[in-house]
Amino acid sequence: MTKITCLLIFMAFNWSNAQDYRFGKVSEEELQEVSNPTDPEANATILYLSQKTYYDFTQSDGFVQITEVYQRIKIYNKDGFDWATEEIKLSDNGSKRETVSGLNAVTYTLVNGKIEETKLRKDGIFEEHNNKYWKTEKFTMPNIKEGCVIEFEYRVTSPYISIDDMNLQYTIPIKELDISVRIPEYFNFNKYVNPRATYIPKVNESTVSRTEEVRSKSRESNSTGFGNTVKTNFSSDKFNFKEYKTEIKLSNVPALKSENFVSNLNTYRTKLIWEYAFYKSPSGQITDYASNWDEVTKTIYDNSDFGSQLTQTNYFEDDIDALITGVTDDSQKLNLIYNFVKSKVKWNDYLGYTADSGVKKAYKEGVGNVGDINLMLTAMLRYAKINANPMLISTRSNDIPLFPATGAFNYVVAAVEVLNDVIILDATDKFATPNVLPVRAINWQGRIIRKAGSSTWFDLLPKDIVQENVSLLATINGDLSIDGKVRSQLTSFAAKNFRSEYQNFNAEEQLMAVEKDKGEIEVSNYEISDMEALNKPITYNYDYHLESGIEQIGDKLFLTPMLFFAPNENPFKQDKREYPVDFIYSFNDRYQVIMTIPDGYEVESMPSNSVVQFQGDAGEFKYIAKASGKSLQFLISINLNKSFILPGEYDNFKQFYQLMTEKQAEKVVLKKI
């Protein structure tokens, strides 16, 4: 009897302390929590996330997809305030529109021991039209304070059968997650967890029975002695079918943690990916929707906002004729047209592989989305008899396309096929050059669609080695300050990045940027060459006076030959790497240092010559030092031919970088004569 009593007391205790996740049942304990018990660094925590997707049936529309979302989020500090804004992406394609209903949102705060509620009002709800296909409904929670709890719920109704990817992991931890999907047996999907994720959840699958009723009416005409009478008959038929049910229930889902040199964290997010494979009618007839890449590209090409945009030429013919008249070299034609489009039409910051405004309107108004600009560029190149075709791309923010679908792409560029090579052009970026794309567009592979209908993949990995050559002159003065000159030359992506960063800087801002993180330095005579000459490397040089470059101990001087160019620390500190290191492109950094030591001193010791390699020729670091009288010369080069380092290679790569860092920090020791 005692054992039974204890068990009942234990059950009652656990029941009374179980968290209630019904809407409006926020507890004082949740409001008093100051940090996540398992992740104290988290700025916020999703206390509960529920998402239910199912297909409702109506007489008029048949099956309609419904998604119900409910979230409760704890915000610990100001850095977590971003979680108080929710964005809902909705299809807005003519008559087939997704809609939001049942929005209910409340912010809870604890004031003098009492829970206070602040409800979301209409002035906190916004709608943004991204393009003619998509819009975003956004709401921002009211009365956000450190320590508050927010919760919201809404319902999305969609006329589409396909299911969006379902995120099971966020950049903050999740205490409880409950995902449920019910799909009628007529709609068949391939589904899988993101293969690049490191957190793999358990997915439960089952089958349930469902019954729906279809009502109909008919009219019956009867002849009587008084004329014809019409009678309306009502009937109903029931149909039974199975539903495939997918459930995921998780507790304490870890946050998706950022790491250095990760191009897009979403690539490694735990998520459930759905591919609509086929429809099976009640009679058993199958309609296939899972397609191959050629079918996908044909569907895209046949879209009036894609393929037909490439055939329109009358709006630009006169201008292009005037531009290339007398030019016979295709390479020169290409560059003339490419630079013309970049100066003629400005990007409006919207992505998309289809035209939004339409190429004619974009050309006239001087602004357009990615599709408007780069389809226009492709059409102009074709008009000039250059073998140009559109190339479809999935940007880094859109992830890597894993299976054939039109939604796998969200970007388009122009691809010019020449002998054994492809020249890629993107006119949305002022400082882009042939084969030097904006980073957003460098993501695995692009798919070229040719006029004849064929399509093929092309590797987007930059092939050129990006170079940065630095010449550093340093003269040590008698008062142990240092005067010198710096000359640096940047090529390819390094030059593009420099131009993008400094394009709007005035002279003072440029000096401040150069002096940043270089100690007690004063820079003068700062000059930049070829800022606008995009086909040339960037060259900049300046004079400097440095007060803090030498450490004196007794009659000895200690200094690092690379001075302010020496790295402070190894950026790869963590013991274990979850995601690949992505440098985007291969690079070669080369530093040539010539240092003059002051009178009355001589060299006591110099860093030794060294060569360190990573996986053979995948990476190499060289350090060469030589002394000749009062002149010290150093040549330091970092050559990384492999720009994508897998987690399994991380230990060796970390060691390689650590040896480089330590070597560049080694000091020359001078002693007084």
Side-chain angles (χ1 to χ4, degrees), residues 379-412:
M380 289 179 178
L381 292 169
R382 286 181 173 181
Y383 178 76
K385 302 295 189 275
I386 293 173
N387 183 22
N389 294 298
M391 176 191 283
L392 296 167
I393 287 174
S394 174
T395 62
R396 288 175 176 260
S397 62
N398 195 53
D399 213 345
I400 294 172
L402 296 174
F403 55 81
T406 56
F409 304 107
N410 67 333
Y411 206 89
V412 64

Side-chain angles (χ1 to χ4, degrees), residues 643-654:
S643 61
F644 195 77
I645 314 299
L646 296 172
E649 302 168 315
Y650 174 70
D651 284 345
N652 289 335
F653 185 74
K654 176 186 175 182

Side-chain angles (χ1 to χ4, degrees), residues 111 222 227 253 261 334 364 395 397 405 432 485 538 580 673:
V111 180
N222 294 315
V253 179
F261 300 100
L334 181 149
K364 180 180 178 181
T395 62
S397 62
K485 294 179 180 292
I538 279 281
I673 300 173

Side-chain angles (χ1 to χ4, degrees), residues 21-157:
Y21 288 119
R22 290 176 295 171
F23 196 97
K25 299 297 182 179
V26 172
S27 67
E28 286 189 27
E29 289 76 15
E30 288 173 314
L31 286 164
Q32 290 170 344
E33 185 176 89
V34 295
S35 65
N36 185 294
T38 59
D39 188 355
E41 295 181 357
N43 300 312
T45 294
I46 299 175
L47 301 176
Y48 183 66
L49 186 157
S50 171
Q51 181 171 326
K52 298 177 181 178
T53 296
Y54 56 92
Y55 294 82
D56 214 350
F57 183 82
T58 65
Q59 290 285 128
S60 57
D61 300 319
F63 286 104
V64 177
Q65 185 188 130
I66 307 294
T67 297
E68 297 177 356
V69 176
Y70 165 53
Q71 287 194 44
R72 183 182 294 178
I73 302 174
K74 169 71 179 185
I75 296 176
Y76 300 115
N77 52 49
K78 290 181 179 179
D79 290 333
F81 283 8
D82 288 345
W83 290 93
T85 296
E86 174 79 352
E87 295 186 3
I88 310 167
K89 186 179 180 182
L90 302 169
S91 173
D92 190 24
N93 186 7
S95 60
K96 298 190 72 173
R97 296 179 175 178
E98 295 177 328
T99 58
V100 176
S101 61
L103 175 58
N104 188 17
V106 181
T107 300
Y108 301 87
T109 53
L110 196 61
V111 180
N112 297 324
K114 181 181 177 182
I115 299 177
E116 292 191 356
E117 302 180 9
T118 307
K119 294 184 177 181
L120 175 68
R121 301 193 310 179
K122 288 185 178 180
D123 59 3
I125 304 173
F126 312 93
E127 190 173 273
E128 177 183 329
H129 288 270
N130 306 105
N131 54 42
K132 60 186 176 184
Y133 301 109
W134 296 97
K135 69 177 181 179
T136 301
E137 190 154 315
K138 181 189 300 185
F139 60 87
T140 299
M141 300 296 293
N143 195 29
I144 298 302
K145 298 178 180 179
E146 293 182 339
C148 71
V149 171
I150 62 174
E151 65 176 354
F152 52 81
E153 60 182 1
Y154 57 85
R155 171 185 170 120
V156 177
T157 302

Side-chain angles (χ1 to χ4, degrees), residues 498 501-502 505-518 521 523 526 540 542:
F498 185 95
E501 182 177 356
Y502 289 97
F505 279 32
N506 58 35
E508 183 178 353
E509 289 170 333
Q510 289 176 358
L511 281 179
M512 290 176 62
V514 172
E515 292 176 348
K516 185 179 179 181
D517 299 328
K518 289 185 173 65
I521 193 172
V523 170
Y526 181 58
Y540 67 86
Y542 56 84

